[in-house]
Every structure is written in C-alpha cells, then in structure tokens.
Amino acid sequence: MEKLTDYIKRVPNFLSSQECKEIVQFLAEEGEWRKNEFYHPYTNTTSTRETEDESYMCNDFTPYNSLIIEKLYFEIVQYQVFAKTEKVWGAWEGYSPIRFNRYEKGQNMQKHVDHITSIFDGDRKGIPTITLLMAFNDDYEGGALRMFSGEDVYLEEGELIIFPSNFLYPHEVATVTGGTRYTGVSWVY
C-alpha cells in the first residue's frame, strides 16, 4: 500500500556548495525583496499579511535562474519515474521561473498548499502538480520545513525536495530563530 510519504523525494547536492554560496551572496546584495504575496481567487486580488513574521520573496530574474532551471528538468523527469507517475501525468507543460524566498529571524510561512493559480499570467496556463523546493543555505537556526505529518524536515545546503502540490501535502516553514534562510521554489504544471 502506498503512503503519502512515498511521493516525497529528497535530492541531496542538487546544487554545489559553491553555487549556493554565489546565489546567497547575489540575493543578499542585489535581490529586490518584497513581502510574500498571496493570491485570492474569489476576489482576484493579491495581498500580503500585515504581520512582521511573514517571509519575503524575490521574483527577479537572476543569473542563477537559468542554471537552476536547466538542472530541474532532469530532476522532474527522474521524479516521475520515482513516483511511478509517468502514465498518470504523461506530459507536462513546463515549470515556473524560480521564486526566491528569504526568512529572517522571527519570520515564518504559515501552513498552506501549493495548488495555486497566481503563477499563471496568461502565457502559462494550468495548475501546479509538483513543488520543487531548493535550499541555498543551512547556516541558520529554526526554519524547518514542517510537512503534513508534523515532522520537521531540515534541508541541507544545496538540497532539493520534491512533492505534489495538492491539498494532501500542506506544509509550513517554522519560525527562523537565528540567521537568514534562503530557498527557491518552482512548480511543474
């Protein structure tokens, strides 16, 4: 019998330590950050939470977007084999540009699912089916990825975690208690 955890795949060393250090340095020095935004489909509006404990996001194209995107293609194909879904999903349309996230001391992300529509701007059409979450550093305290089981997952520098984007996989980021946590996310649709 299959379990929900059977569809979570961790890929250590997806990015090298050097690549991660360069990405973090670039994001720290040149990233244009804004409060994390949430799309509300019923009102067709986007808003932020008015609390200080919410994370920041950066959608700017960076020189690292292409590097990461090229590496993700291979992992998506491998994930379909791993999850035995090649016959279920068959083909997929693509995957979104990387959205970079920054969590400073005292910040978190509330429980949510990634079955979102806000990444679709007219050129891309669909719904996310797979979440691809990358850790660019691990020199911070707290900030665990808390999956549906309540288990804390501590991602290592350069690690990629892949899981379905639907309602069966709610997740959150626990409060960072020291340092700054940098991650990137892309969604297959």
Side-chain angles (χ1 to χ4, degrees):
M1 167 162 264
E2 295 176 1
K3 304 179 297 281
L4 291 177
T5 53
D6 291 343
Y7 297 96
I8 299 173
K9 181 179 182 186
R10 294 178 74 167
V11 181
N13 304 313
F14 169 70
L15 294 171
S16 72
S17 182
Q18 183 61 36
E19 289 167 329
C20 288
K21 286 178 185 6
E22 289 174 13
I23 291 168
V24 167
Q25 182 177 355
F26 180 87
L27 292 173
E29 294 173 2
E30 300 185 42
E32 292 186 27
W33 298 95
R34 64 184 187 280
K35 288 286 246 181
N36 207 339
E37 299 172 336
F38 300 89
Y39 177 72
H40 306 282
Y42 299 115
T43 60
N44 195 28
T45 59
T46 301
S47 65
T48 61
R49 291 194 176 93
E50 294 302 319
T51 62
E52 289 301 314
D53 62 349
E54 190 59 49
S55 63
Y56 285 81
M57 62 187 262
C58 172
N59 282 347
D60 299 335
F61 177 80
T62 73
Y64 301 99
N65 236 323
S66 345
L67 163 87
I68 297 168
I69 288 292
E70 288 176 23
K71 289 184 172 202
L72 284 178
Y73 178 82
F74 174 78
E75 294 302 337
I76 294 165
V77 172
Q78 293 305 306
Y79 177 77
Q80 288 184 297
V81 173
F82 161 82
K84 300 178 183 99
T85 58
E86 63 272 9
K87 290 186 174 121
V88 176
W89 282 318
W92 37 277
E93 297 296 317
Y95 41 107
S96 69
I98 308 301
R99 186 183 86 184
F100 298 94
N101 294 312
R102 181 185 77 195
Y103 301 80
E104 295 177 323
K105 184 177 178 178
Q107 295 180 329
N108 63 57
M109 182 169 291
Q110 296 178 3
K111 187 181 282 189
H112 65 284
V113 295
D114 289 342
H115 205 65
I116 55 176
T117 58
S118 59
I119 62 172
F120 301 103
D121 54 12
D123 294 331
R124 290 186 300 261
K125 295 175 176 42
I127 54 170
T129 56
I130 303 171
T131 297
L132 306 148
L133 177 64
M134 297 149 275
F136 301 129
N137 69 324
D138 58 10
D139 59 345
Y140 55 89
E141 297 170 11
L145 173 65
R146 191 166 289 145
M147 298 296 289
F148 55 87
S149 63
E151 179 180 334
D152 285 349
V153 176
Y154 291 93
L155 300 173
E156 295 181 7
E157 177 188 73
E159 185 174 0
L160 168 69
I161 187 168
I162 308 171
F163 55 91
S165 303
N166 66 40
F167 71 97
L168 294 172
Y169 292 84
H171 53 283
E172 62 188 295
V173 176
T175 301
V176 170
T177 57
T180 302
R181 178 186 193 263
Y182 289 98
T183 59
V185 65
S186 177
W187 294 277
V188 174
Y189 59 93

